[in-house]
Amino acid sequence: MLTAAPLPDRPGARLSGDCDLDSRQVLASALGIVTRIPGPVVHLDLSAVVFLDAAAVAALVHASATFTAQGRRLLIHDPPYSLRKVVEMFPDECAALEVAA
């Protein structure tokens, strides 16, 4: 199960759970809300996400591209291994993703 909650200390959201076929609609809804959060930088905390499938990574790439088109940034924090692995396998396709150091 995937859940989303606002971050208490900065503009953004925290996702928890798995991002896969069963939670695709929840992820799409959460990212739709995240893209409407005002501010030049919006944070997406993935520290409680266990797994992201390739479609979930594609949704994150699309959300990041939306931010870029608006002249803003989506900053991803603490991505799970599965996201890092997909980025490693498809660096060009995932170039829009910005992960906090």
Side-chain angles (χ1 to χ4, degrees):
M1 175 176 222
L2 179 66
T3 61
L7 292 173
D9 58 342
R10 56 191 167 189
R14 181 175 195 246
L15 300 182
S16 301
D18 290 323
C19 299
D20 55 21
L21 179 62
D22 294 332
S23 61
R24 195 160 293 156
Q25 289 294 57
V26 175
L27 178 62
S29 295
L31 291 176
I33 292 168
V34 167
T35 58
R36 292 191 301 273
I37 295 172
V41 179
V42 176
H43 303 268
L44 189 60
D45 180 351
L46 301 181
S47 62
V49 172
V50 178
F51 175 77
L52 288 117
D53 68 8
V57 175
L60 288 175
V61 168
H62 179 72
S64 289
T66 299
F67 274 85
T68 300
Q70 297 171 349
R72 304 183 318 135
R73 295 169 52 209
L74 178 62
L75 190 55
I76 298 171
H77 297 268
D78 299 315
Y81 174 79
S82 55
L83 174 61
R84 294 189 310 266
K85 193 65 177 170
V86 171
V87 169
E88 180 182 298
M89 291 170 35
F90 302 101
D92 293 338
E93 292 82 352
C94 297
L97 296 177
E98 185 177 356
V99 177

